[in-house]
Amino acid sequence: MSESENKADIVPVRMGRNTGFQFECHKGVSCFTKCCRGIDIILTPYDIIRLKNKLELPSEEFLAIYTVPQLYEKTDLPVVTLKLLDDDIRSCPFVRDEGCLVYDDRPTTCRYYPLGVGNLSHGEEGGDDDKDFFFFVNEPHCKGFDEKKEWTVDSWRKDQGVDIHDEINAGWTDLIVRKRSFPPNIKWTPKAKEMFFMACYNIDAFKRFVFESPFLTKFEVDEAMLEKIKTDDIALLEFGLLWLKDVFFLKKDENKQFKVKK
């Protein structure tokens, strides 16, 4: 059995932000782009914004062409996964033999590879190093571990730009963790799931919902914020995540950011 095949049998070990490892991926590695085939990638809200803007598509078109909607296990919340090509090796639609066509805007999961990430608590309670954990995605074909470049988990995250992705996606991650803590018998209505999907993933539809529905007749929103979310997708996403938290996750007596107009 080869060394890389042995690695696939290693039980995942929890890693911290300062854990060191050796890894490098480049065109000279014999397994180049193999990790882009036969994959299952959940796209984060920020991934969708980056990719739909890169491809110059409205979010509805991007979702229809490149994603598959699913319900996330243990939360019953809608998520979207990247739709793979219907070829023998289930390739990513953006991969070619020479590399990734959308590399600068690649998804969060791709940026983390060969690491996986988990979170043990709500984002707003987290932030401490012991709240985050990471692990290797051990795949038999990967030769990147044979390279000599040294990293810590934090230096890898910074180099790959994934720290920015995590920061922008923090509100979404927090909502998923909150929902996972709900008792199994508490189910959301189809309408609630539809609103969650729209605010998280269909950012163009959510903008129309804010500005063209009775939304602004029901909620008080600062004029400066309204001007910002008209042109800034990230600000609109963060606005939507706060709204979801207020409406679906906070109790009536908790301090909510969205005030209902009287």
Side-chain angles (χ1 to χ4, degrees):
M1 182 177 290
S2 71
E3 181 181 356
S4 59
E5 288 172 333
N6 276 322
K7 287 176 183 172
D9 295 328
I10 297 175
V11 176
V13 176
R14 177 172 169 171
M15 305 165 67
R17 290 177 175 268
N18 295 318
T19 302
F21 64 97
Q22 291 184 183
F23 181 83
E24 191 172 12
C25 182
H26 53 83
K27 291 183 179 180
V29 178
S30 61
C31 60
F32 187 62
T33 75
K34 283 188 178 181
C35 59
C36 307
R37 330 275 179 165
I39 51 177
D40 292 302
I41 294 181
I42 292 178
L43 296 176
T44 70
Y46 186 46
D47 291 340
I48 293 170
I49 289 174
R50 291 285 297 260
L51 287 168
K52 69 105 174 173
N53 288 341
K54 170 72 173 181
L55 299 173
E56 299 181 346
L57 291 173
S59 54
E60 292 97 334
E61 288 189 33
F62 174 81
L63 290 166
I65 297 170
Y66 292 106
T67 74
V68 178
Q70 297 185 19
L71 289 178
Y72 189 50
E73 186 181 4
K74 297 183 180 179
T75 68
D76 200 38
L77 288 178
V79 295
V80 294
T81 58
L82 185 65
K83 184 186 295 183
L84 303 179
L85 297 180
D86 189 21
D87 58 11
D88 292 339
I89 49 179
R90 299 177 62 239
S91 301
C92 168
F94 305 119
V95 71
R96 301 294 184 270
D97 289 341
E98 61 273 17
C100 177
L101 297 177
V102 295
Y103 186 79
D104 289 343
D105 299 283
R106 65 198 184 280
T108 304
T109 296
C110 304
R111 292 171 184 269
Y112 258 112
Y113 189 87
L115 301 180
V117 62
N119 194 293
L120 296 176
S121 66
H122 300 322
E124 65 182 18
E125 298 170 0
D128 300 330
D129 287 352
D130 61 355
K131 301 291 187 182
D132 300 313
F133 67 94
F134 308 87
F135 53 90
F136 282 131
V137 178
N138 294 302
E139 295 188 294
H141 60 71
C142 184
K143 303 296 183 182
F145 290 105
D146 298 332
E147 300 293 298
K148 304 303 181 184
K149 187 108 181 215
E150 295 185 350
W151 308 91
T152 63
V153 169
D154 253 1
S155 67
W156 177 257
R157 292 175 71 248
K158 184 176 180 180
D159 182 79
Q160 298 297 304
V162 78
D163 52 348
I164 298 171
H165 280 240
D166 282 350
E167 180 180 345
I168 294 172
N169 287 316
W172 172 74
T173 303
D174 179 59
L175 296 185
I176 289 177
V177 174
R178 285 175 180 271
K179 183 61 171 64
R180 192 169 59 196
S181 68
F182 283 18
N185 62 316
I186 296 181
K187 302 290 185 182
W188 276 16
T189 65
K191 184 64 175 178
K193 293 176 185 178
E194 179 184 328
M195 299 306 292
F196 182 89
F197 184 94
M198 177 177 62
C200 291
Y201 313 120
N202 195 344
I203 198 71
D204 295 327
F206 182 63
K207 182 185 293 185
R208 291 194 298 271
F209 172 71
V210 171
F211 290 102
E212 299 175 17
S213 81
F215 182 95
L216 295 177
T217 67
K218 296 180 179 179
F219 298 99
E220 297 179 3
V221 183
D222 179 79
E223 287 294 331
M225 175 58 71
L226 286 177
E227 287 302 312
K228 188 173 184 180
I229 64 177
K230 284 179 182 178
T231 57
D232 187 333
D233 280 349
I234 296 174
L236 180 61
L237 170 63
E238 293 172 344
F239 176 90
L241 294 172
L242 288 174
W243 176 73
L244 288 173
K245 183 177 179 180
D246 266 20
V247 173
F248 295 115
F249 292 91
L250 296 185
K251 299 176 182 178
K252 289 184 179 180
D253 57 349
E254 290 188 86
N255 185 28
K256 297 191 176 187
Q257 299 194 44
F258 284 79
K259 306 299 182 184
V260 177
K261 289 184 177 181
K262 297 180 180 179

